[in-house]
Amino acid sequence: LAARERASFISRLRRMGVRLAQLFIVALEAQLACSLVLGPVPRLPLRRAGGDSCTLASFSMVEGGQGGSSDSSEVRKSAILAELARAEGAESDGARRADDADAEEGAVSPQAWVRDEWARLRRGEGEVAEFLKEFVPTFAFFLAIRIALVEPRYIPSLSMYPTLDINDQLAVEKVSKWNRPPRRGEIVVFDPPDAFWRLSQRERDGEALIKRVVAVGGDTVEVRGGRLYVNGQLQDESYVNERAAYELPPLAVPPGSVFVLGDNRPANL
């Protein structure tokens, strides 16, 4: 790294010296052009208040016939401008050639860059090492949050309609389940048990289910007349749009288990 920075600094100094030399050459050429076109610089006599005489150098000719006509002045001005334009073009070409030479000198092949970055990575240096130092801890932090604390989910079906609609986004927290069991009325996300795949005649696809807990361990649940009864009491479910289109005889929920249903009762069992 130090050798590369030193080489870059030397290259900048060399480029700066080349441009200064070009400017010096341009100044000399401009002075030469002025002397060739204008000839000797005329000196105009002036008078001071005390009577002593002095001279004034001038590049423009005195009007009224003291140095030529206006036509000759225009020709000389045009020649000066042409000479300056030519000198400026030469300077631009020289600067462009110097930049191209520096670019070719600093060009590095992809294979050499990979070898250099790999060597610097093994020493804990370089752009790749800096990226990994920032990316890996950040990625590990958010991965730990997703695994242990909260997980984003989206709704793929209408099983929880109208509470949750298709493509709704939600965050599922994972902390409360370590402190207490689910409660009635809570919405839970879970992996289906084996009986679900057997009764639904579907193959396991790794998809989780989202339902509402309607009964817990020790409760007796029943669906009669399209209405839900828990321990013989009719449940007031304001979040349900339609009644269930099925009947469920009284069923005792085993201890340590919960009974769940979707809010869209006609499409759930």
Side-chain angles (χ1 to χ4, degrees):
L1 182 61
R4 178 174 296 181
E5 291 178 350
R6 185 165 55 253
S8 177
F9 178 74
I10 294 174
S11 177
R12 288 196 298 268
L13 285 180
R14 185 170 60 251
R15 185 164 57 252
M16 185 180 300
V18 170
R19 291 182 178 175
L20 287 176
Q22 291 173 347
L23 290 176
F24 181 73
I25 294 173
V26 168
L28 289 179
E29 291 177 347
Q31 183 178 2
L32 179 61
C34 290
S35 62
L36 291 176
V37 175
L38 296 179
V41 178
R43 297 182 179 272
L44 304 180
L46 295 178
R47 292 290 179 180
R48 294 180 180 173
D52 297 334
S53 63
C54 63
T55 59
L56 174 66
S58 173
F59 283 97
S60 62
M61 307 307 293
V62 180
E63 297 182 359
Q66 297 181 1
S69 63
S70 59
D71 294 338
S72 61
S73 298
E74 292 297 331
V75 171
R76 293 174 180 177
K77 291 178 182 179
S78 300
I80 292 174
L81 293 176
E83 184 67 21
L84 292 176
R86 185 190 65 80
E88 183 178 357
E91 178 188 4
S92 299
D93 293 340
R96 184 167 55 253
R97 286 194 297 269
D99 292 340
D100 294 341
D102 291 340
E104 293 179 359
E105 181 180 354
V108 180
S109 64
Q111 295 82 359
W113 182 86
V114 170
R115 289 194 300 269
D116 182 62
E117 283 297 325
W118 175 250
R120 297 172 67 186
L121 177 61
R122 297 180 65 179
R123 298 193 304 267
E125 303 174 352
E127 298 178 359
V128 177
E130 292 296 330
F131 170 77
L132 293 177
K133 290 177 183 177
E134 296 178 1
F135 174 76
V136 172
T138 304
F139 178 77
F141 174 74
F142 284 104
L143 183 62
I145 290 179
R146 190 183 190 281
I147 293 175
L149 300 179
V150 63
E151 180 178 351
R153 287 281 183 174
Y154 80 98
I155 305 303
S157 68
L158 291 172
S159 66
M160 286 295 293
Y161 184 82
T163 305
L164 298 173
D165 203 350
I166 292 179
N167 291 329
D168 280 353
Q169 306 289 325
L170 65 153
V172 182
E173 62 89 11
K174 301 182 177 183
V175 178
S176 60
K177 68 179 181 179
W178 301 107
N179 300 325
R180 59 173 180 81
R183 298 171 180 172
R184 297 189 193 95
E186 291 184 339
I187 297 176
V188 294
V189 179
F190 59 95
D191 293 325
D194 295 336
F196 171 82
W197 302 110
R198 185 172 61 254
L199 294 175
S200 62
Q201 298 181 351
R202 292 171 50 187
E203 294 184 359
R204 293 180 178 271
D205 53 10
E207 182 179 340
L209 299 181
I210 177 168
K211 304 292 181 181
R212 187 183 298 273
V213 177
V214 298
V216 296
D219 290 340
T220 300
V221 61
E222 178 185 5
V223 177
R224 184 172 68 248
R227 308 291 295 275
L228 176 67
Y229 292 83
V230 177
N231 298 327
Q233 295 182 355
L234 177 64
Q235 301 299 301
D236 181 17
E237 298 179 298
S238 58
Y239 42 79
V240 174
N241 247 1
E242 302 178 47
R243 295 186 179 184
Y246 52 83
E247 299 289 326
L248 178 67
L251 175 67
V253 182
S257 301
V258 295
F259 190 88
V260 298
L261 288 173
D263 290 352
N264 190 4
R265 295 296 163 77
N268 283 267
L269 175 56

